Amino acid sequence: MTEAWWEESIQAPDETTAAAARVRQDNLTKPPGSLGRLEELAISLAAMQGRDRPRVDQVWIAVFAGDHGVVAEGVSAFPQAVTQQMLANFVAGGAAIAVLARALGATLEVVDVGSLAAGPMPGVVWDKAGHGTANLATGPAMTESAVVAALDAGRRSVQRARVAGAELYVGGEMGIGNTTAAAALACALLGLSGRELAGPGTGLDSAGVAHKAALLDRALVLHADAEAPLEALRCLGGYELAALAGAYIACARDGVPVLVDGFIATAAALAATRLNPGVRDWLMFGHGSAEPGHARLLAALDARPLLDLGMRLGEGSGAAVAVSLLRSACALHNGMATFAEAGVSGG
Amino acid sequence: MTEAWWEESIQAPDETTAAAARVRQDNLTKPPGSLGRLEELAISLAAMQGRDRPRVDQVWIAVFAGDHGVVAEGVSAFPQAVTQQMLANFVAGGAAIAVLARALGATLEVVDVGSLAAGPMPGVVWDKAGHGTANLATGPAMTESAVVAALDAGRRSVQRARVAGAELYVGGEMGIGNTTAAAALACALLGLSGRELAGPGTGLDSAGVAHKAALLDRALVLHADAEAPLEALRCLGGYELAALAGAYIACARDGVPVLVDGFIATAAALAATRLNPGVRDWLMFGHGSAEPGHARLLAALDARPLLDLGMRLGEGSGAAVAVSLLRSACALHNGMATFAEAGVSGG
């Protein structure tokens, strides 16, 4: 049996470049370590990009959309129609991620991998793995071929990003109901109960969160056999979650640094690292979401996010806001003078 | 007796504009509150700027330099000559704040308000209140006329910023020994002991920190009568600290939003709010410094910084990195579509 592409071995970031970047940081005109995490970011980016002077000028943002059969259980504060309405809003430029992409000069691609839309929408990449998942509370969310098709859709997005010269990949998502699917997937992967990861999503009240937790527990019992990561993703995830996981794995294979967004993106990142542990080295984490379960997912990935602004919007928005920190890190690393160059006495 | 300019009454940010901005935020295509602190920032900036669509395109960064007689006590990991060497590095563009200002398209002005430089340096604003402070461990750091001259220098910087159309003011500082002066000032204003605010600064070891704490306690006993804020600033502060305090007060008087940097800038902000409590409404806080005393100063100002990246460089660098968050907040507030505009169903 041949190995699937997502299982193939992944090369680690380049340690020689990291060491050189570390030496450079210690020679810049500042007390050593005084730029804190910006120093670490520059060194990590240098290692991932395999060049002394890392750059994140060319940023690729892909937002994957999917619908969720589980909304039949009343788990979202917004109606399902909003998934498609928001696709139009991404393309028209009025959504948060569209505004942020424009401000960054980033490319925004919107990929319909699994919404209920019957046909292509103008400006949206049509790469359908399915038309809305089945209700994960009553059966598997996806078929075996569909979850693979969604992983492949993520990989194709990364191929487009590479052709465009992307120096950083940000994955976002849109899908009414997808905090439920993300929580279900992460519960299965981490062996947690529904209560431990259920949160308000777009705006459930406490009764709604309790209902969501109970529903998650039911789904986890139903899919108790779904222990393998791919099977957990298929039974409990969603098209956009699988596409994100595929994209993260493809980035790691292809040496493209990733900035992960919030709760849903992190659940996908967790699945990606379970499918292929080598992925982890290629992931940075943009922000800690206000969705309460996010802290737990980050801890499971040993990840410390860059921002903590109480955001909980998804779409890739938290990661997009954090891109400027990576750019600051690169600007400082590349642009500061060394003690010798500036004629400044070292400490 | 006429009131000093820094004591004159300060107008609060405009509540009507804030209310309108809040309504706008609730109508944008996102779950209400889901942009977290970016929503609050946009609303605060709108209120401070008195306009529905706030902007921080024009950013003014002023770095004030001063030398400190207290370095005779061996409280810094770097030699005193570095203050002037770094002034040259700011102007040449090789220092962190110069790199960040360039990346932001911000104006960087470097003001020598109190270094030991005997004469003007090319590219540096010469607005001297003195040539290095006296040793605060053995007497008052500044004379009465000199501390006022430093406050005035800060005010003049803000006047230049306003002429240039600044929409945001960032104050930075450079001065070997100034974490000691900042800690001394803050201890006096908050009634703390040296141990509670002494930290490593540019890189003291634990013995150095203990020595610094003991020195602070001695200075606090010596200047026990310096209870009035201006007197505390004069006896225990420094030229760049007083200039920053003057600048913050002038910004608040003139309606210019301020983004405060780290430990030293926050000590100056604390002094400014003690000189004139109306200043507080005009201050935002860019980052939490790795200098351990900073958390205490932030708490005393009821301030929650935007970033927590373990930075501890000064120069205004942490605030400069945080400027992009304000820009993101404005871009989202001004650029996102409302539910009605986008035809998206509300929650």
Side-chain angles (χ1 to χ4, degrees), chain B residues 285-305:
Chain B
F285 292 80
H287 80 126
S289 169
E291 180 74 5
H294 194 211
R296 199 128 193 180
L297 303 195
L298 291 167
L301 284 159
D302 193 21
R304 207 156 44 111

Side-chain angles (χ1 to χ4, degrees), chain B residues 75 175-184 197 199-202 212 216 263-264 291:
Chain B
V75 289
I176 295 301
N178 67 7
T179 57
T180 300
L197 291 186
T202 52
K212 189 167 164 180
L216 288 171
F263 182 69
I264 293 146
E291 180 74 5

Side-chain angles (χ1 to χ4, degrees), chain A:
Chain A
M1 189 179 121
T2 53
E3 214 174 24
W5 67 264
W6 59 82
E7 296 173 323
E8 285 166 17
S9 153
I10 287 170
Q11 206 171 340
D14 181 38
E15 261 313 307
T16 309
T17 312
R22 207 166 283 122
V23 168
R24 174 165 173 81
Q25 277 291 334
D26 287 343
N27 282 309
L28 298 177
T29 44
K30 58 182 173 57
S34 62
L35 288 174
R37 295 192 64 192
L38 298 182
E39 298 189 12
E40 300 166 25
L41 283 174
I43 293 163
S44 296
L45 282 165
M48 288 191 251
Q49 296 183 347
R51 53 181 171 184
D52 291 350
R53 302 289 192 273
R55 299 204 157 273
V56 290
D57 298 335
Q58 304 298 324
V59 178
W60 187 271
I61 304 177
V63 180
F64 298 97
D67 273 308
H68 295 266
V70 72
V71 297
E73 308 285 340
V75 290
S76 178
F78 281 80
Q80 191 166 37
V82 167
T83 302
Q84 289 176 62
Q85 291 167 353
M86 284 301 293
L87 284 177
N89 197 25
F90 294 145
V91 173
I97 191 61
V99 171
L100 292 168
R102 208 154 56 226
L104 289 169
T107 303
L108 173 64
E109 82 164 5
V110 184
V111 181
D112 185 351
V113 64
S115 89
L116 285 169
M121 292 174 63
V124 174
V125 177
W126 178 259
D127 195 354
K128 286 304 255 260
H131 289 74
T133 56
N135 182 352
L136 63 87
T138 58
M142 291 174 269
T143 65
E144 285 175 25
S145 61
V147 70
V148 171
L151 287 166
D152 287 342
R155 186 191 192 188
R156 281 188 287 272
S157 167
V158 175
Q159 285 165 343
R160 290 188 292 274
R162 289 186 67 206
V163 168
E167 296 165 318
L168 181 75
Y169 186 93
V170 171
E173 40 57 47
M174 176 70 221
I176 295 301
N178 68 5
T179 57
T180 300
L185 170 62
C187 280
L189 294 174
L190 297 175
L192 300 174
S193 70
R195 198 173 43 77
E196 292 174 284
L197 291 185
T202 53
L204 292 179
D205 59 14
S206 59
V209 174
H211 169 63
K212 188 166 163 180
L215 178 94
L216 289 171
D217 286 336
R218 267 201 288 140
L220 291 165
V221 170
L222 178 68
H223 301 295
D225 290 343
E227 287 181 350
L230 186 63
E231 192 63 1
L233 188 58
R234 179 178 85 81
C235 292
L236 294 156
Y239 293 113
E240 76 280 45
L241 283 151
L244 280 169
Y248 295 149
I249 298 169
C251 282
R253 282 166 47 104
D254 292 342
V256 179
V258 172
L259 191 57
V260 178
D261 190 38
F263 182 68
I264 293 146
T266 305
L270 182 66
T273 61
R274 294 300 169 91
L275 288 166
N276 194 327
V279 171
R280 178 63 188 86
D281 288 340
W282 298 87
L283 306 180
M284 299 169 287
F285 292 81
H287 80 124
S289 169
E291 181 72 6
H294 195 211
R296 199 130 192 177
L297 303 196
L298 291 167
L301 284 159
D302 193 22
R304 208 157 43 113
L306 291 168
L307 291 172
D308 179 17
L309 296 172
M311 296 174 72
R312 52 179 172 80
L313 175 57
E315 302 179 6
S317 58
V321 172
V323 166
S324 63
L325 303 184
L326 304 192
R327 287 185 173 170
S328 291
C330 291
L332 290 161
H333 184 81
N334 301 339
M336 282 181 71
T338 62
F339 283 106
E341 285 163 358
V344 173
S345 314

Side-chain angles (χ1 to χ4, degrees), chain B residues 141-232:
Chain B
M142 291 174 270
T143 66
E144 287 175 23
S145 61
V147 70
V148 170
L151 286 166
D152 287 343
R155 186 190 191 188
R156 280 188 287 273
S157 166
V158 175
Q159 285 164 343
R160 290 188 293 272
R162 289 186 67 206
V163 167
E167 296 164 318
L168 180 75
Y169 186 93
V170 171
E173 40 57 48
M174 177 69 221
I176 295 301
N178 67 7
T179 57
T180 300
L185 170 61
C187 281
L189 294 174
L190 297 174
L192 299 175
S193 70
R195 199 175 40 79
E196 292 174 284
L197 291 186
T202 52
L204 292 179
D205 60 13
S206 60
V209 174
H211 168 65
K212 189 167 164 180
L215 178 95
L216 288 171
D217 287 336
R218 267 201 288 139
L220 291 164
V221 169
L222 178 68
H223 301 294
D225 290 342
E227 288 180 349
L230 186 63
E231 192 63 2

